[in-house]
Amino acid sequence: QVQLVESGGGLVQPGGSLRLSCVASTSIFSLLGMGWYRQTPGKQRELVAAITVGGSTNYEDSVKGRFTISRDNTKNTVYLQMNSLKPDDTAVYYCNAALKNFTPWGQGTQVIVSS
């Protein structure tokens, strides 16, 4: 069973930055496209950023130009650098494989953007 452990969330003012990290306990991490997802109460979890095995990235429109996804295969870790944060970015953030999600999901990390 793969374990996904997210960290780095917190309370930040609008316009601030956070860097999220996710460690995946799988020996095939370097062979996986990975994604960052977020979920708010009453809404479905949505994919906000993805990175392929080769390092190509893709972003949901609302975070383009503000969020950057990256990966370190030597550490089985995927990162999400979030800049110019807005109150609408408030959510629990999760990482998972981008195509076929592992289950169970990790516990996520809470991001709150508020003044």
Side-chain angles (χ1 to χ4, degrees), residues 52-71:
T52 68
V53 170
S56 297
T57 57
N58 197 25
Y59 300 93
E60 192 268 330
D61 284 347
S62 69
V63 308
K64 280 181 182 176
R66 301 187 298 119
F67 290 11
T68 303
I69 188 171
S70 61
R71 65 190 299 160

Side-chain angles (χ1 to χ4, degrees), residues 20-22 29 34 36 51 69-71 76-79 95:
L20 308 183
S21 300
C22 170
F29 179 83
M34 294 295 294
W36 279 98
I51 186 165
I69 188 171
S70 61
R71 65 190 299 160
N76 277 20
T77 301
V78 60
Y79 303 98
C95 75

Side-chain angles (χ1 to χ4, degrees), residues 2-5 22-26 29 34 75-77 95 102:
V2 175
Q3 282 193 315
L4 301 164
V5 181
C22 170
V23 180
S25 66
T26 172
F29 179 83
M34 294 295 294
K75 297 180 179 179
N76 277 20
T77 301
C95 75
F102 293 114

Side-chain angles (χ1 to χ4, degrees), residues 10-89:
L11 172 64
V12 63
Q13 291 188 339
S17 298
L18 284 173
R19 189 193 194 205
L20 308 183
S21 300
C22 170
V23 180
S25 66
T26 172
S27 60
I28 62 168
F29 179 83
S30 64
L31 302 179
L32 298 171
M34 294 295 294
W36 279 98
Y37 302 75
R38 67 185 179 188
Q39 188 170 26
T40 54
K43 292 188 177 181
Q44 282 196 327
R45 193 174 286 153
E46 63 172 349
L47 178 66
V48 295
I51 186 165
T52 68
V53 170
S56 297
T57 57
N58 197 25
Y59 300 93
E60 192 268 330
D61 284 347
S62 69
V63 308
K64 280 181 182 176
R66 301 187 298 119
F67 290 11
T68 303
I69 188 171
S70 61
R71 65 190 299 160
D72 184 342
N73 291 338
T74 67
K75 297 180 179 179
N76 277 20
T77 301
V78 60
Y79 303 98
L80 187 67
Q81 177 67 44
M82 305 188 296
N83 298 329
S84 301
L85 283 160
K86 304 175 180 180
D88 283 350
D89 296 319

